[in-house]
């Protein structure tokens, strides 16, 4: 495409630098007018202000008519036909390439829809969105309206008295939020219906429910930590946390998927206080941990929504950023996109679709680190081809595989911690290692066995980090800590 544009520039330079000066010197003013008209037709054809074929035809006629005024031996010289041939060839190439790219992106969208299991078309996205629970309907409206301070962010579920104190303060400070949350949790699991932005990109959709969902998860986790002996309360709060997680997963957006992972991490972390308390039997704890989530399915949905958002950006920027117009009649403006620029945007969009397809077709059985490597976005190709949209909006898709592996491992660590606690119940002390197990579970992140270590106040289960190192004791991303009422179990 760059070569074609260069050739067109050369064509215009040749016409202006050779043909037009010659006509001026020979005082062939009518021929000069024809040459200028021919140049204008070709330029306008590239800018798509007229039908391409008509512009090329009229431009060619004007050039040939201008050349016909030469009465010397150079009349109809083949040298003057070179720029004309370049112009016609470049138009034919761009027209054919444009058709091929349009076919490719349509085919890739269909392919991506089949891989994900549902359509990635913008119209279908908004049709699914409209079936959700409206943002402006109670009790969700009140849940979102309360602007909370970061109240529980640094609390690590250390002990019940501290949790009870913070919980009491919270209930006094935010009674409206607590009431709205209790009402919201009575609703059947669905997804949030977001408002469609008028004439704007899907990226501009406000996800105003995500922060309240995350704060609600912290609040419910605090209730568990405040009274881990109350089985009914623990089960209810745990089920409510699962509801919040599933509400967030149903939203499809990339950021929603990451928040759902964060809520699940909060839930599993809160269950460590239940495990250390010992009121739940081994089987009861397994039941409240619950079934594993098909994170891979929702991850594909998140990628699909990103592809839909990219298409909305593609449609928006190729008109509004280019023409800088306030005219909202998109369809009437679209035909005026310069052909060479449209081709460039289509190549950019095709690359994005190919990247999403690659990320969605990574084999699920591989370690998370290998999956991340296979889903890696090719930044070199983006830079080499000057893909503006991909450079701005293509996220680090590979990082989601690491996040998904981490949360899968967190659940497995919680179950393994329950095995350690069962050993402690039977033998009266913590094990020195995991040799009492027939099989030590493998981490999803790297397919290496999970590790165990006693700490000054309990123990922790951990995996290697994404850098292949052993994590620090305070690194909760790759560890699951269980505190045993402050007792020093290492003695």
């Amino acid at each position: 495409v760059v070569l074609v544009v260069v050739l067109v520039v050369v064509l215009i330079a040749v016409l202006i630098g050779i043909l037009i000066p010659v006509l001026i010197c020979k005082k062939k003013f009518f021929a000069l007018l024809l040459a200028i008209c021919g140049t204008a037709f070709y330029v306008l054809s590239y800018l798509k202000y007229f039908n391409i074929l008509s512009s090329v035809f009229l431009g060619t006629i004007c050039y040939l008519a201008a050349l016909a005024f030469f009465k010397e031996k150079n009349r109809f010289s083949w040298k003057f036909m070179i720029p004309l041939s370049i112009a016609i060839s470049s138009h034919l190439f761009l027209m054919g390439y444009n058709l091929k790219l349009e076919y490719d992106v349509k085919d890739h969208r269909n392919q991506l829809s089949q891989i994900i299991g549902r359509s990635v078309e913008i119209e279908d996205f908004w049709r699914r969105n409209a079936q959700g629970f409206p943002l402006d309907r109670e009790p969700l409206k009140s849940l979102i309206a309360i602007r909370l301070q970061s109240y529980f962010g640094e609390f690590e579920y250390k002990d019940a008295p501290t949790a009870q104190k913070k919980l009491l303060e919270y209930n006094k400070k935010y009674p409206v939020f607590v009431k709205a949350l209790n009402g919201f949790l009575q609703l059947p699991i669905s997804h949030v219906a977001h408002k469609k932005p008028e004439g704007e990109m899907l990226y501009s959709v406000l996800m105003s429910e995500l922060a309240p969902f995350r704060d609600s998860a912290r609040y419910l986790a605090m209730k568990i930590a405040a009274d881990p002996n109350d089985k009914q309360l623990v089960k209810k709060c745990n089920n409510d946390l699962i509801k919040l997680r599933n509400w967030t997963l149903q939203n499809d957006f990339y950021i929603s998927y990451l928040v759902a992972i964060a809520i699940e991490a909060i839930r599993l972390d809160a269950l460590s206080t239940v495990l250390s308390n010992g009121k739940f039997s081994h089987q009861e704890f397994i039941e409240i941990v619950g079934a594993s989530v098909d994170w891979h399915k929702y991850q594909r949905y998140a990628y699909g929504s990103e592809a839909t958002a990219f298409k909305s950006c593609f449609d928006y920027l190729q008109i509004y950023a280019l023409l800088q117009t306030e005219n909202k009649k998109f369809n009437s403006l679209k035909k005026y996109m310069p052909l060479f620029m449209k081709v460039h945007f289509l190549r950019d969009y095709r690359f994005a679709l190919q990247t999403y397809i690659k990320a969605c077709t990574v084999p699920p059985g591989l370690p998370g680190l290998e999956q991340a490597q296979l889903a890696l976005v090719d930044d070199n190709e983006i830079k080499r081809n000057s893909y503006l949209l991909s450079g701005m909006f293509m996220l680090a898709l590979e990082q989601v595989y690491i996040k998904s592996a981490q949360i899968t491992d967190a659940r497995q660590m919680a179950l393994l911690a329950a095995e350690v606690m069962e050993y402690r119940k039977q033998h009266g002390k913590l094990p020195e290692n995991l040799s009492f197990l027939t099989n030590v579970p493998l981490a999803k992140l790297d397919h290496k066995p999970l590790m165990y270590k006693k700490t000054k106040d309990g123990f922790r289960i951990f995996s290697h980090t994404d850098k292949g190192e052993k994590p620090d004791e305070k690194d909760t991303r790759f560890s699951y800590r269980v505190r045993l009422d402050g007792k020093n179990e290492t003695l």
Side-chain angles (χ1 to χ4, degrees):
V1 175
V2 174
L3 178 61
V4 171
V5 174
V6 170
L7 291 175
V8 171
V9 173
V10 171
L11 161 67
I12 297 174
V14 169
L15 291 171
I16 295 175
I18 299 177
L19 179 59
I20 293 178
V22 170
L23 291 174
I24 294 175
C25 291
K26 295 182 175 294
K27 298 182 180 181
K28 303 293 185 180
F29 298 112
F30 184 68
L32 174 63
L33 178 63
L34 290 173
I36 293 174
C37 288
T39 303
F41 275 122
Y42 270 97
V43 171
L44 292 176
S45 69
Y46 275 97
L47 296 178
K48 294 186 69 177
Y49 281 103
F50 294 98
N51 180 273
I52 292 177
L53 293 177
S54 299
S55 299
V56 171
F57 176 76
L58 292 172
T60 303
I61 293 298
C62 289
Y63 286 154
L64 293 175
L67 291 172
F69 280 83
F70 282 89
K71 297 181 180 180
E72 301 170 0
K73 62 179 181 179
N74 291 327
R75 186 180 183 184
F76 295 109
S77 171
W78 63 270
K79 295 179 182 178
F80 287 107
M81 298 299 292
I82 293 177
L84 185 59
S85 301
I86 292 173
I88 296 174
S89 299
S90 64
H91 270 287
L92 294 176
F93 170 77
L94 283 178
M95 290 172 62
Y97 194 29
N98 180 69
L99 291 175
K100 181 184 184 303
L101 288 171
E102 289 182 342
Y103 172 82
D104 284 348
V105 297
K106 182 179 180 180
D107 181 65
H108 288 338
R109 281 205 306 271
N110 291 335
Q111 185 180 349
L112 185 58
S113 297
Q114 292 176 359
I115 293 170
I116 292 173
R118 64 184 182 190
S119 173
V120 299
E121 300 296 334
I122 295 177
E123 297 79 10
D124 295 323
F125 174 89
W126 287 115
R127 192 178 298 114
R128 290 194 302 267
N129 175 80
Q131 297 171 0
F133 192 87
L135 276 169
D136 56 357
R137 182 183 299 176
E138 295 292 358
L140 182 58
K141 181 179 179 181
S142 295
L143 193 67
I144 294 173
I146 305 299
R147 295 291 183 266
L148 303 178
Q149 299 175 0
S150 181
Y151 201 71
F152 295 139
E154 298 179 358
F155 184 72
E156 296 179 355
Y157 317 111
K158 292 181 180 180
D159 56 79
T162 304
Q164 291 167 6
K165 180 181 178 181
K166 285 184 174 287
L167 192 62
L168 183 62
E169 293 174 359
Y170 192 93
N171 288 332
K172 289 182 178 180
K173 192 171 185 178
Y174 299 111
V176 177
F177 181 88
V178 174
K179 181 180 178 181
L181 174 60
N182 292 332
F184 178 77
L185 292 172
Q186 302 303 313
L187 300 174
I189 295 173
S190 180
H191 65 271
V192 176
H194 297 92
K195 294 182 179 180
K196 184 177 181 180
E198 289 295 330
E200 295 184 10
M201 299 177 288
L202 194 55
Y203 289 115
S204 62
V205 171
L206 297 177
M207 310 291 289
S208 52
E209 79 282 0
L210 294 183
F213 280 6
R214 194 164 46 239
D215 288 332
S216 299
R218 294 191 182 105
Y219 172 75
L220 293 169
M222 190 66 63
K223 291 182 70 175
I224 292 175
D227 196 359
N229 293 324
D230 189 334
K231 287 189 175 182
Q232 291 302 115
L233 180 141
V234 168
K235 289 180 179 179
K236 183 181 184 307
C237 290
N238 181 66
N239 289 334
D240 288 342
L241 281 164
I242 292 174
K243 279 186 179 180
L244 278 176
R245 178 198 70 192
N246 292 341
W247 266 88
T248 313
L249 278 175
Q250 297 297 327
N251 276 352
D252 298 345
F253 288 91
Y254 182 95
I255 185 63
S256 297
Y257 180 78
L258 297 180
V259 172
I261 288 177
I263 291 174
E264 179 71 349
I266 291 171
R267 181 181 79 92
L268 293 172
D269 194 19
L271 292 182
S272 68
T273 61
V274 175
L275 190 63
S276 63
N277 183 269
K279 294 297 182 180
F280 282 79
S281 68
H282 181 248
Q283 185 58 39
E284 286 176 329
F285 185 80
I286 292 175
E287 289 175 359
I288 63 173
V289 168
S292 60
V293 177
D294 188 355
W295 295 105
H296 188 57
K297 179 181 78 170
Y298 292 105
Q299 182 176 328
R300 291 197 305 268
Y301 286 168
Y303 285 155
S305 295
E306 280 300 305
T308 305
F310 195 99
K311 175 61 165 59
S312 72
C313 171
F314 170 78
D315 289 341
Y316 180 87
L317 289 186
Q318 68 174 325
I319 296 302
Y320 291 92
L322 176 70
L323 301 182
Q324 297 180 352
T325 178
E326 295 182 358
N327 193 332
K328 302 297 183 182
K329 296 181 179 179
F330 175 82
N331 292 329
S332 64
L333 289 172
K334 189 173 181 180
K335 66 181 181 179
Y336 297 129
M337 168 65 68
L339 185 58
F340 63 87
M341 188 169 289
K342 183 182 179 184
V343 166
H344 180 70
F345 279 132
L346 281 170
R347 292 181 71 237
D348 193 344
Y349 181 33
R350 182 180 65 176
F351 167 78
L353 287 171
Q354 290 170 340
T355 303
Y356 288 123
I357 290 172
K358 181 181 70 170
C360 286
T361 52
V362 171
L366 295 176
L369 290 176
E370 290 187 24
Q371 291 176 321
Q373 200 61 34
L374 292 174
L376 198 66
V377 178
D378 192 346
D379 289 329
N380 291 329
E381 184 170 348
I382 291 176
K383 295 176 182 177
R384 183 169 58 250
N385 293 285
S386 299
Y387 289 152
L388 175 66
L389 302 185
S390 294
M392 288 193 299
F393 297 108
M394 284 298 291
L395 302 169
L397 302 182
E398 70 281 358
Q399 289 299 316
V400 184
Y401 276 103
I402 295 177
K403 294 290 185 182
S404 300
Q406 286 176 334
I407 198 60
T408 302
D409 287 342
R411 178 181 178 275
Q412 187 61 64
M413 289 176 192
L415 294 175
L416 183 54
E419 297 290 343
V420 172
M421 290 298 292
E422 185 67 12
Y423 178 96
R424 178 177 181 263
K425 184 183 295 185
Q426 294 176 4
H427 296 83
K429 63 178 183 179
L430 289 174
E432 296 300 321
N433 51 52
L434 297 177
S435 60
F436 70 94
L437 295 174
T438 304
N439 293 304
V440 178
L442 302 180
K444 171 62 178 173
L445 186 66
D446 56 8
H447 281 194
K448 294 180 180 179
L450 292 174
M451 294 169 282
Y452 159 84
K453 185 177 181 180
K454 291 195 290 184
T455 62
K456 64 181 181 180
D457 59 355
F459 66 93
R460 68 176 180 133
I461 309 293
F462 57 98
S463 69
H464 291 97
T465 69
D466 53 348
K467 306 298 183 184
E469 304 168 349
K470 289 187 178 181
D472 183 83
E473 188 172 319
K474 295 181 180 180
D475 191 346
T476 58
R477 297 173 303 164
F478 305 96
S479 302
Y480 191 80
R481 294 184 62 187
V482 177
R483 296 182 177 88
L484 299 176
D485 302 325
K487 297 177 182 178
N488 192 334
E489 293 279 347
T490 61
L491 296 179

